[in-house]
Amino acid sequence: MVEWVQEIVDKFKFVFLEKDRWLLIAEGLKVTLLVTFLALLLGLVIGMLVAIVRTSHDQMKKDNVRGVARIFLGIMNGICKVYLTVIRGTPVMVQLLLMYFVILVSAESEITVAVMTFGINSGAYVAEIFRSGIMSIDKGQMEAGRSLGLSYVTTMTKVILPQAIKNVLPALVNEIITLLKETSICGAIGLSELTRGAENIQSATYEALFPLLMVALIYLVIVMMFTALMSKIERRLRESDLR
Amino acid sequence: MIYVNNLSKSFGDHLVLNNVSEHIAPGEKVVIIGPSGSGKSTFLRCLNLLEQPTSGEITFEGQLITDKKADINKIRQQMGMVFQHFNLFPHLTILDNIIMAPVHLKLMTKAQAKEEAMRLLEIVGLTEKANAYPGQLSGGQKQRIAIVRSLALKPKVMLFDEPTSALDPEMVGEVLEVMKGLAKDGMTMVVVTHEMGFAREVADRVLFMDEGIIYEQGTPEQIFSSPVNERTQKFLRAVL
Ligand SMILES: Nc1ncnc2c1ncn2[C@@H]1O[C@H](COP(=O)(O)OP(=O)(O)OP(=O)(O)O)[C@@H](O)[C@H]1O
Ligand SMILES: [Mg+2]
């Protein structure tokens, strides 16, 4: 029994402590968090813009508005639709490789490539989440805002979006978790993120179980902490309006 | 105050308003009655362009508002609208619901808007709800707040679309009282309602609408006691 425990401790020391190999994991974690965070920001911005273009275009079409604005929005809407179709219709791994070897071939760092790829990829999913959130708001809210003389944009930002975002928070949390875990494929473009850190330890020590288990545990703990934080925020938000 | 000229509105090939012409004078209280689907709401919503007319012209205070160049947001500030389902903003407190438009449109400072909001809340007897959220209010209270929210912009005319239809019977009275008070203060009002008692008491003129046409109009006395049109007679027999 004691022998068995000792064996594990020795192996742990060998895998992680010898030659400071744990640093590979720590550095990898930093990269993973950085890429996830920046990609998330990019994804939220893209997603919000696309969602607003799509919904306002559909609204204008319904209201039968004509003129330059309608034509402009029509073109923007077309671009958004192509974007959504292509991004959601192809594997993110292929997108990553295309970015690395073709589109952003002159980019300085792998981090830039990863952030761009995952930001653009996540934006497509976030856009649909925001759009469903906007559509979930009763149309009377927009009418009330407009009847008070507020512009479409003001009503959108002050009335519709705050409610829509609150409604889609769980879906958004889901997307962020997916994003975090998906960045684990960035090793394919030579980025030393968390999973790649485990792989590097594995090839140095010929030990697979320990490094992979450690990395799995780290992902799990991050996700659990993040989920707990978000449910706290969600509860706080619900309290304020007692619907 | 409002001139409506040959107004038509279609949804697809469904003609909902059929060449309506009408004039609403300053200070006048006009009540619109008619069967469901007759186009009452659509008519009202065309007045502040929540619905885009298919053809025809609407003039408000001498300004052609159906003109493409008209600043519709500016015009809507002067036309309050109260909806059947209140449409308060659930994520904002009552006070913020009321002051949001006047502050954002820079018609008042925040302090002025708050003062005005409290004055109006006093009138409808809801000062103690200033910091509550809409979800904490009864239907009748919500509708009174919705009226206050419109009034905070100091509109020249108030449009009501069945303001009491979504309310439990015991709450209808409190909303009608507020509307009567408004009428007494000289507000120009256009009201779509099924409350015939209110129409009798408050209306200067009653319009009977069916199939997108104003078939008959007159004083409440004329319409309710001696309607001429066969459709009006049939409708009133059914509702009275
Ligand atoms: N946005 C819309 N799209 C398509 N059809 C519509 C739309 N709004 C209204 N209609 C149709 O127009 C007709 C008139 O509707 P409107 O709401 O003006 O009637 P109403 O007189 O207010 O009826 P109610 O007493 O039921 O409120 C109805 O047949 C309705 O189905
Ligand atoms: Mg109606």
Side-chain angles (χ1 to χ4, degrees):
Chain A
M1 181 70 191
V2 180
E3 220 167 284
W4 176 73
V5 172
Q6 188 61 44
E7 211 169 286
I8 290 183
V9 172
D10 285 347
K11 203 168 253 178
F12 186 90
K13 278 186 182 159
F14 166 63
V15 170
F16 294 116
L17 301 185
E18 199 169 291
K19 290 191 181 158
D20 278 342
R21 277 193 277 264
W22 64 274
L23 276 176
L24 287 172
I25 293 210
E27 291 298 321
L29 177 60
K30 254 198 264 171
V31 171
T32 290
L33 290 179
L34 182 69
V35 169
T36 305
F37 180 71
L38 293 179
L40 174 65
L41 289 188
L42 184 59
L44 287 175
V45 171
I46 295 176
M48 184 62 83
L49 291 176
V50 171
I52 289 175
V53 167
R54 300 266 289 124
T55 39
S56 45
H57 173 266
D58 290 355
Q59 185 60 44
M60 262 200 186
K61 197 167 165 186
K62 219 187 95 229
D63 293 348
N64 223 345
V65 181
R66 291 182 198 289
V68 192
R70 167 83 189 273
I71 295 168
F72 176 72
L73 258 182
I75 295 168
M76 294 296 289
N77 186 54
I79 295 172
C80 289
K81 271 179 151 168
V82 171
Y83 160 72
L84 291 174
T85 310
V86 170
I87 294 297
R88 295 194 300 164
T90 56
V92 64
M93 182 63 143
V94 175
Q95 293 166 18
L96 182 67
L97 295 175
L98 267 175
M99 278 288 207
Y100 186 62
F101 289 113
V102 184
I103 300 168
L104 291 179
V105 75
S106 58
E108 295 274 309
S109 83
E110 286 81 25
I111 293 200
T112 311
V113 176
V115 168
M116 292 296 285
T117 306
F118 283 98
I120 291 170
N121 179 273
S122 184
Y125 295 93
V126 171
E128 290 300 272
I129 291 173
F130 278 145
R131 197 164 73 95
S132 75
I134 293 169
M135 287 193 309
S136 75
I137 305 302
D138 184 76
K139 71 177 182 16
Q141 293 287 305
M142 178 56 83
E143 289 182 351
R146 298 308 306 275
S147 78
L148 292 167
L150 301 171
S151 68
Y152 179 87
V153 174
T154 305
T155 312
M156 200 56 159
T157 52
K158 294 233 152 192
V159 177
I160 309 293
L161 287 181
Q163 297 181 62
I165 291 172
K166 198 182 295 184
N167 285 355
V168 300
L169 215 49
L172 225 42
V173 168
N174 232 346
E175 171 56 26
I176 296 169
I177 291 173
T178 305
L179 176 62
L180 170 78
K181 292 182 298 183
E182 269 186 349
T183 59
S184 64
I185 65 167
C186 287
I189 59 167
L191 184 64
S192 306
E193 42 69 59
L194 186 53
T195 306
R196 185 58 177 256
E199 284 172 350
N200 286 342
I201 294 181
Q202 187 189 343
S203 47
T205 61
Y206 300 105
E207 283 292 339
L209 180 64
F210 270 61
L212 287 176
L213 216 52
M214 175 61 80
V215 160
L217 196 68
I218 292 174
Y219 280 112
L220 185 64
V221 169
I222 297 174
V223 169
M224 282 168 64
M225 286 190 331
F226 179 67
T227 311
L229 175 74
M230 288 315 278
S231 25
K232 205 170 191 175
I233 291 176
E234 223 183 302
R235 225 173 306 130
R236 183 85 39 89
L237 284 175
R238 295 268 166 231
E239 259 165 32
S240 74
D241 67 6
L242 294 160
R243 263 187 278 181
Chain B
M1 175 167 266
I2 305 178
Y3 284 92
V4 178
N5 209 347
N6 298 325
L7 174 66
S8 291
K9 171 72 184 176
S10 315
F11 292 106
D13 45 15
H14 179 189
L15 183 63
V16 175
L17 289 180
N18 189 354
N19 217 21
V20 176
S21 296
E22 196 48 63
H23 169 225
I24 290 144
E28 198 177 20
K29 291 97 183 85
V30 176
V31 167
I32 305 175
I33 60 172
S36 182
S38 56
K40 308 181 296 294
S41 296
T42 307
F43 176 71
L44 204 64
R45 291 157 59 82
C46 279
L47 295 183
N48 69 351
L49 299 191
L50 275 187
E51 300 289 355
Q52 198 65 39
T54 309
S55 65
E57 289 170 346
I58 302 170
T59 312
F60 174 62
E61 298 254 282
Q63 190 184 1
L64 185 63
I65 66 174
T66 40
D67 186 53
K68 271 198 167 53
K69 288 182 217 85
D71 183 351
I72 186 56
N73 294 331
K74 267 264 154 43
I75 294 157
R76 283 184 182 138
Q77 292 167 25
Q78 303 172 49
M79 305 174 110
M81 182 164 224
V82 175
F83 302 86
Q84 183 174 358
H85 295 287
F86 333 127
N87 299 347
L88 294 180
F89 306 135
H91 62 302
L92 299 179
T93 63
I94 298 309
L95 194 61
D96 286 337
N97 262 275
I98 300 169
I99 68 172
M100 159 167 6
V103 171
H104 190 84
L105 298 168
K106 302 201 163 60
L107 302 176
M108 301 177 199
T109 66
K110 199 161 180 178
Q112 285 171 331
K114 273 188 184 167
E115 201 182 307
E116 174 67 3
M118 292 314 288
R119 188 184 72 83
L120 291 168
L121 282 174
E122 177 99 51
I123 295 173
V124 300
L126 289 171
T127 39
E128 80 279 14
K129 297 292 185 192
N131 294 312
Y133 284 88
Q136 298 164 299
L137 268 52
S138 73
Q141 291 172 332
K142 280 185 204 166
Q143 196 60 298
R144 285 185 277 159
I145 297 298
I147 294 172
V148 165
R149 181 175 67 176
S150 288
L151 290 177
L153 289 166
K154 305 191 195 301
K156 295 186 172 138
V157 54
M158 287 286 286
L159 312 174
F160 293 83
D161 191 1
E162 303 199 30
T164 58
S165 294
L167 298 177
D168 290 337
E170 72 269 21
M171 293 172 187
V172 170
E174 63 194 56
V175 172
L176 291 182
E177 279 313 309
V178 171
M179 291 170 65
K180 284 176 196 166
L182 210 53
K184 211 154 71 207
D185 292 345
M187 177 63 78
T188 311
M189 295 163 73
V190 184
V191 185
V192 174
T193 186
H194 295 296
E195 293 293 329
M196 298 304 163
F198 176 84
R200 261 184 221 278
E201 190 182 331
V202 175
D204 297 317
R205 197 148 58 94
V206 176
L207 310 183
F208 171 75
M209 199 162 187
D210 197 4
E211 293 177 335
I213 293 169
I214 297 171
Y215 272 96
E216 182 167 4
Q217 60 169 291
T219 63
E221 181 67 20
Q222 284 168 342
I223 296 291
F224 291 118
S225 309
S226 48
V228 187
N229 189 286
E230 213 174 294
R231 286 171 191 266
T232 320
Q233 292 165 356
K234 195 161 150 247
F235 172 75
L236 288 173
R237 262 201 306 281
V239 298
L240 286 180

